[in-house]
């Protein structure tokens, strides 16, 4: 049960910030961050020595944010497309992360599979103990906190997010800096990815960031509805996906990603049918 | 002597490494309806973008009402090119027009009822009220332009900059937009339009800026629209200049 | 070398090099078309096909697995195209969505397979990160044939591919069936991806197609040179990976190859002629040296215009003295004098400055007080032929806007 809650929280949080990644055409950047963060996490682990410290979290997030800067820095100095640079950079860090795990993490609690595909089944064993009260799995709390932080910041800067996404030139002319908002989005993506990583692993965070959002994007005319529906689809994917994985005894993360795709298919089919009717 | 509302001094701006504006120098008096014209690549859009701080100049400056842009932001409205925007964004016509009020609100604050009212008034002026809940991707080119214009109108500015507002727009919309611009001028506002069509300049504008990397001419329309000036702007006898641009870029 | 005594190692090496070469070659086309990450999407999309093929066959037969990967990959490509065409969804999110959903499904199947009792499933894991050492002779033959096939295709259609990349709209106008090339290109691309799956693995195949090509493009913009260079880089990277994979048991090949390719990229980034950081720094240094020297020559010439013909050693820094002397611009003794060469060179700089000022004022509507700073820069950039042109356009003027002479004394 608790596992399901963690999965739901992870999916919701990713979907929320995912809206702005998809709209700002940063989906592949999200893909890059969720792969490359592996290296950040491994390095942070080596430096801090444990997965359970706040410093581990902070270092990992800093690395994820740093990634965006590296890509930007390189893009400005060469005449190769941004998308290709993203590919070069993230595969490098991801490969490095994998190598480090294979080489050095044999006797520590890092397992290639778990790290990459999530070990949400096991995450329930790390509890959040406060004044000797067992308040539930730690991931639940961290994810919950990150989710609330996302909600708060997105609500606060809602109109700035809107205007800089839709028309960055106009935004600059009225004094709202697209650059600052970009850093905000990158920051939120980074903390979300690092936190969700524990639950669903590096590779499937991408599905959670993109698929429910894209499903909602197809038919929504207004931003707040798009966000709302994306959360709905995220919730649906996580619940059905979780049940699916339990029934068939397969990977939870893979199942959720897969189910979110199935939902996308349904929506696309429905949309095409409905749109066809409209024109007739 | 009319007040100068927009002044550019020795402005040199590079796109990538190549300078597309070179030592440009001119000023616009209050209440004019200005056309900025020149061949493609002449730096017209670059001029606008630099003025608003979207691009950094290599040298020179631009002043609005004799001050820096950031000090008088709320008196200026910028209407960018239509292609610069992704019209698939989930927003209705009303949503976009309301964005025109964001500058006055500043960071974090939310639009109030009075802002909503102003947006509606702007929509009325461009005759788009019945479209207010329409999704922006469902609009024609002319309608999209009107939405942009409405957004600019509810900024309640004194100085308006429009980047190629008539490109790809039907003739009815074109006339309607010009009427609006004329009304603005009659209210004492100044309007600067980067215009793509030299043919219609005489019909609509009263001040002309001819640009081709450097300033060719700037002044009241009648006296500035001469054969020599047009030749100098569009003539193409610019090998030296383009060579110089190249050399500069490769340094 | 003991390494090569095993015939298998030789095959692994050959196969890996063929692989690296092929990916390098095709990667250039992909990167130029800004579709580098498409390879990533397709590779991820291939996973469920591999798993399903295994389930159907019951054992790990490479050809069958690759067929499954092919079907799955093409299905993924089709889904991406469909999403972009039929809905608002943009290319980048379509790729990310298809990539992750297909991959997720693949993981589901893999974990399902893991629960099955059959022994040969272990091999499937190698598809995630690659295991070049596991390549068998038959695999290598397959890989090499595909490589030769793609090489042939590229060779035959070279001109067309070139045109197709740089301007597909232009090519279409000429009556070229760009649709045909889309498909052709996609097919060889997918074939190459399939081949690399085994050695590099699903997760890192993208790098094989992007990193060596990107590194090559830092050195040259010409297509042929880029392709050749990319082939070399790709081969070196995969050879390194294969070597490590053979020597160090259990080490996944994919990450090592990617590391090798990235190191090459880093090196290129720092030193390559076009984009290189180090190169740019060197160029900048050379330029400032030139500017300093020319400025000094110009000053000396201007001094002669006011009648000064000799200078004290102490007026000029040692370094500059040395430079002036080694270029033959000065005669040095207790006092410094300009040689004929030095006089002419100094004049040239000054002439360029003043001529440019004249041009700005007369042809570009600049006012007198705005031209100096511009001329300060241009005097070092204008070449002799441009100077001649300006002179002829202006009608060989004698003085500049400030009244200074444009002719040598």
């Amino acid at each position: 049960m608790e596992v399901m809650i963690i999965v739901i929280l992870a999916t919701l949080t990713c979907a929320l910030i995912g809206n702005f990644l998809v709209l700002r055409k940063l989906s592949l950047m999200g893909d890059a961050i969720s792969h490359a963060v592996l290296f950040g996490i491994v390095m942070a682990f080596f430096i801090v020595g444990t997965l359970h410290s706040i410093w581990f979290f902070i270092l990992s997030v800093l690395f994820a944010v740093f990634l965006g800067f590296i890509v930007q820095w390189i893009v400005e100095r060469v005449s190769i497309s941004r998308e290709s640079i993203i590919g070069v950079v993230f595969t490098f860090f991801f490969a490095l992360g994998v190598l480090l795990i294979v080489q050095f993490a044999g006797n520590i609690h890092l397992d290639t599979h778990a790290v990459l595909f999530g070990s949400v089944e096991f995450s329930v064993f790390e509890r959040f103990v406060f004044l000797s009260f067992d308040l539930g799995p730690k991931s639940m709390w961290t994810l919950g906190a990150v989710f609330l932080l996302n909600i708060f910041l997105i609500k606060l800067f809602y109109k700035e997010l809107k205007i800089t996404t839709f028309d960055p030139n106009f935004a600059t002319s009225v004094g709202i800096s697209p650059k600052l908002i970009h850093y905000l989005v990158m920051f939120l993506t980074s903390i979300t990815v690092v936190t969700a990583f524990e639950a669903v692993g590096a590779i499937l965070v991408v599905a959670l960031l993109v698929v429910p959002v894209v499903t909602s994007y197809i038919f929504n005319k207004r931003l707040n509805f798009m966000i709302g529906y994306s959360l709905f689809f995220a919730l649906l994917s996580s619940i059905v996906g979780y049940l699916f994985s339990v029934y068939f005894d397969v990977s939870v993360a893979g199942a959720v990603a897969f189910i979110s795709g199935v939902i996308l298919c349904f929506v696309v089919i429905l949309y095409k049918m409905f749109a066809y009717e409209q024109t007739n | 002597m009319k007040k100068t509302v927009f002044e550019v001094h020795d402005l040199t701006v590079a796109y990538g490494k190549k300078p597309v504006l070179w030592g440009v120098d001119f000023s616009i008096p209050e209440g004019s309806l200005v056309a900025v014209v020149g061949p493609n690549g002449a730096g017209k859009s670059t001029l606008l973008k630099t003025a608003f701080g979207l691009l950094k100049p290599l040298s020179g400056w631009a002043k609005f009402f004799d001050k820096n842009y950031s000090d008088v932001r709320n008196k200026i409205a910028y209407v960018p090119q239509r292609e610069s925007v992704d019209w698939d964004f989930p927003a209705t016509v009303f949503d976009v027009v309301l964005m025109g009020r964001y500058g006055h609100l500043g960071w974090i604050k939310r639009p109030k009822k009075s802002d909503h009212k102003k947006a509606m008034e702007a929509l009325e002026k461009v005759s788009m009220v019945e479209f207010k809940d329409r999704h922006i991707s469902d609009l024609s080119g002319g309608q999209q332009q009107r939405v942009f214009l409405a957004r600019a109108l509810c900024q309640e500015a004194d100085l308006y900059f429009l980047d190629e507002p008539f490109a790809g727009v039907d003739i009815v919309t074109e006339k309607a937009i010009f009427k609006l611009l004329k009304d603005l001028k009659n209210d004492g506002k100044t309007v600067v339009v980067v215009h793509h069509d030299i043919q219609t300049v005489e019909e609509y504008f009263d001040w002309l800026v001819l640009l081709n990397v450097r300033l060719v001419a700037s002044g009241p329309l009648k006296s500035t629209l001469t054969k020599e000036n047009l030749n100098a702007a569009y003539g193409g006898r610019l090998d030296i200049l383009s060579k110089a641009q190249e050399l500069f870029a490769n340094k | 070398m003991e390494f090569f005594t095993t015939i298998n190692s030789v095959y692994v090496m050959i196969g890996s090099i063929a692989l690296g070469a092929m990916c390098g070659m095709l990667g250039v086309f992909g990167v130029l078309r800004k579709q580098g990450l498409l390879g990533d999407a397709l590779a991820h999309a291939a996973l469920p096909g591999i798993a399903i093929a295994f389930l159907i066959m019951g054992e790990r037969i490479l050809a069958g697995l690759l067929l499954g990967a092919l079907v799955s990959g093409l299905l993924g490509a089709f889904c991406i195209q469909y999403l972009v065409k039929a809905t608002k969804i943009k290319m980048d999110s379509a790729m990310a969505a298809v990539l992750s959903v297909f991959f997720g499904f693949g993981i589901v199947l893999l974990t399902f397979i893991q629960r099955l009792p059959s022994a040969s499933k272990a091999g499937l894991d190698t598809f995630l990160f690659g295991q070049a050492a596991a390549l068998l002779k038959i695999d290598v033959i397959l890989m090499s044939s595909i490589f030769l096939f793609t090489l042939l295709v590229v060779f035959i259609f070279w001109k067309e591919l070139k045109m197709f990349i740089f301007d597909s709209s232009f090519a279409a106008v000429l009556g070229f069936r760009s649709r045909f090339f889309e498909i052709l290109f996609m097919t060889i691309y997918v074939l190459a991806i399939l081949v690399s799956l085994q050695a590099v693995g699903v997760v890192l195949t993208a790098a094989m197609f992007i990193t060596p090509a990107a590194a090559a493009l830092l050195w040259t913009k010409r297509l042929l040179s880029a392709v050749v260079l990319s082939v070399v880089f790709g081969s070196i990277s995969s050879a390194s990976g294969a070597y490590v994979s053979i020597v160090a048991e259990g080490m996944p090949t994919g990450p090592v190859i990617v590391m090798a390719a990235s190191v090459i990229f880093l090196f290129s980034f720092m030193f390559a002629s076009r984009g290189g950081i180090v190169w740019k720094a060197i160029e900048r240094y050379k330029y400032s040296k030139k500017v300093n020297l020319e400025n000094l020559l110009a000053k000396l010439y201007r001094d002669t215009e006011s009648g000064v013909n000799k200078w004290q050693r102490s007026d000029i820094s040692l370094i500059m003295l040395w430079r002036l002397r080694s270029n033959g611009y000065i005669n040095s003794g207790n006092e410094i004098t300009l040689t004929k060469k030095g006089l002419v060179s100094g004049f040239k700089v000054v002439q360029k400055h003043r001529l440019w000022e004249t041009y700005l004022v007369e042809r570009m509507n600049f006012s007198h007080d705005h031209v100096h700073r511009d001329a300060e820069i241009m005097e070092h950039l204008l070449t002799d032929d441009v100077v001649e042109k300006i002179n002829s356009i202006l009608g060989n003027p004698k003085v500049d806007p400030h009244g200074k002479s444009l002719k040598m004394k």
Side-chain angles (χ1 to χ4, degrees), chain B residues 33 122-128 142-143 145-147 149-150 153 162 165-166 169-184 203-204:
Chain B
L33 235 181
L123 274 172
E124 270 172 39
K125 288 208 191 116
V126 298
S127 324
M128 287 280 285
Q143 289 167 334
Q145 200 58 57
R146 286 193 219 213
V147 171
L149 199 53
L153 286 175
L162 295 85
F166 302 105
V169 145
D170 59 275
I171 192 80
V172 172
T173 308
E174 183 177 302
K175 297 227 181 274
I177 293 181
F178 265 124
K179 178 166 179 315
L180 267 163
L181 298 183
K182 213 67 208 284
D183 291 341
L184 284 174
E203 200 183 326
Y204 295 125

Side-chain angles (χ1 to χ4, degrees), chain C residues 317-336:
Chain C
S317 76
L318 275 173
I319 308 175
M320 295 313 281
L321 273 178
W322 183 82
R323 281 198 206 144
L324 286 170
R325 192 152 23 118
S326 53
N327 277 306
Y329 291 140
I330 56 172
N331 295 315
S332 62
N334 282 331
E335 293 176 318
I336 315 289

Side-chain angles (χ1 to χ4, degrees), chain A residues 61-228:
Chain A
V61 172
L62 278 177
F63 176 74
V65 173
F66 170 64
L67 209 66
F69 283 113
I70 296 185
V71 170
Q72 188 59 34
W73 193 79
I74 297 181
V75 164
E76 278 167 10
R77 280 160 180 72
V78 299
S79 54
I80 297 181
S81 74
R82 181 189 191 82
E83 177 224 34
S84 309
I85 299 295
I86 291 180
V88 172
V89 173
F90 95 75
T91 49
F92 169 69
F93 281 111
F94 188 64
L96 194 54
V98 171
L99 279 177
L100 286 175
I101 289 182
V102 167
Q103 276 294 89
F104 300 111
N107 58 338
I108 324 172
H109 312 292
L110 285 182
D111 172 281
T112 334
H113 265 198
V115 154
L116 292 159
F117 316 122
S119 59
V120 68
E121 302 88 334
F122 300 108
S123 64
V124 285
F125 293 118
E126 278 184 46
R127 323 288 301 182
F128 179 42
V129 177
F130 183 66
L131 298 178
S132 75
F133 281 111
D134 178 1
L135 290 168
K138 188 159 135 310
S139 327
M140 192 171 81
W141 290 96
T142 47
L143 274 170
V146 169
F147 185 47
L148 288 175
L149 182 64
N150 268 310
I151 293 180
F152 174 68
L153 285 174
I154 288 178
K155 242 176 126 61
L156 193 65
F157 293 105
Y158 194 64
K159 73 174 200 294
E160 286 79 6
L161 281 162
K162 224 173 166 179
I163 195 178
T164 54
T165 308
F166 175 62
D167 195 348
N169 286 340
F170 180 71
T172 311
S173 78
V174 296
I176 295 178
S177 159
K179 222 180 186 164
L180 284 178
I181 299 295
H182 178 76
Y183 292 148
L184 175 67
V185 171
M186 287 287 104
F187 170 68
L188 288 176
T189 307
S190 303
I191 57 172
T192 303
V193 167
V194 172
T195 320
F197 174 83
E198 204 182 348
V200 296
I203 299 177
L204 289 150
V205 170
V206 182
L208 300 186
L209 286 172
V210 173
V211 185
V213 170
V214 144
T215 313
S216 161
Y217 178 58
I218 295 175
F219 62 90
N220 272 297
K221 290 198 216 167
R222 308 197 61 181
L223 186 59
N224 34 9
F225 283 111
M226 176 175 158
I227 296 179

Side-chain angles (χ1 to χ4, degrees), chain B residues 114-169:
Chain B
S114 56
D115 299 304
H116 284 247
K117 198 155 157 289
K118 294 199 170 122
M120 282 303 284
E121 284 166 7
L123 274 172
E124 270 172 39
K125 288 208 191 116
V126 298
S127 324
M128 287 280 285
V129 181
E130 69 237 42
F131 291 89
K132 85 178 217 312
D133 291 319
R134 189 76 70 90
H135 187 240
I136 52 179
S137 63
D138 288 337
L139 301 175
S140 70
Q143 289 167 334
Q144 286 175 344
Q145 200 58 57
R146 286 193 219 213
V147 171
F148 261 9
L149 199 53
R151 181 176 70 177
L153 286 175
C154 71
Q155 285 182 270
E156 294 181 328
D158 291 327
L159 178 54
Y160 293 79
F161 287 90
L162 295 85
D163 199 343
E164 301 209 16
F166 302 105
V169 145

